Amino acid sequence: MNIEVIKADITKIHADVIVNAANSSLLGGGGVDGAIHRAGGKQILEECIQIRDRQGKCKTGEAVVTSAGNLPAKYVIHTVGPVWNGGVEKMSKLLSNCYKNSLQLAESLGIKTIAFPNISTGVYRFPKELAGKIAVEAVQNFQAENIKKIIFVCLDDENEMIYKKLLD
Ligand code: AR6
């Protein structure tokens, strides 16, 4: 399995799956969530609403999948990161679950490439260095069968530097 780091807008990435840092309502928001819904179009929101109607809100650390609307990806996996509250152990476990559950769901779709944003490190204020360490550990520990490439897509220089150092 190949792990890459790039600095880019995730909505432009040609991967089978792009992951969204959503909130538990699944109804969109700001940051990467807003960008994905804007670029992907209303199809994504309609599917999110159907999921909500079927199974209720998405809990922190869990993941659900929709199609990708107008995006170059095939699917969007929406996961809900923890809102940082300083409780390192619980927060770390929840963030790790986001990566694990997204990868598991991606495996079940039989896809080969998946792109992650830096979940929880924006509005949810998770410390970037710790979030990077958790993300890298979670993907390195994942036993992939179909997935061949994982891309960490960073929007800012700080995250790009953190991930490049961690994967060096
Ligand atoms: N491409 C790649 N990364 C991005 C993009 C983009 N287009 N836009 C932002 N980022 P955030 P969170 C980075 O706030 O902290 C939403 O309102 C950003 O620089 O998007 O998990 C949801 O609805 C940061 O490093 O997500 C939730 O309510 C990272 O993506 C809440 O924000 C995550 O920042 C979730 O907060």
Side-chain angles (χ1 to χ4, degrees), residues 8-11 21-23 28-35 81 117-125 128 153-156 159:
D9 171 354
I10 202 166
T11 64
N23 61 62
V32 71
D33 194 9
N118 311 129
I119 302 165
S120 282
T121 67
V123 176
Y124 284 178
R125 302 183 320 274
K128 290 181 180 173
V153 182
C154 307
L155 193 69
D156 56 275
N159 267 318

Side-chain angles (χ1 to χ4, degrees), residues 32-46:
V32 71
D33 194 9
I36 286 173
H37 279 280
R38 263 194 313 277
K42 66 177 193 318
Q43 171 80 25
I44 298 177
L45 182 61
E46 279 167 10

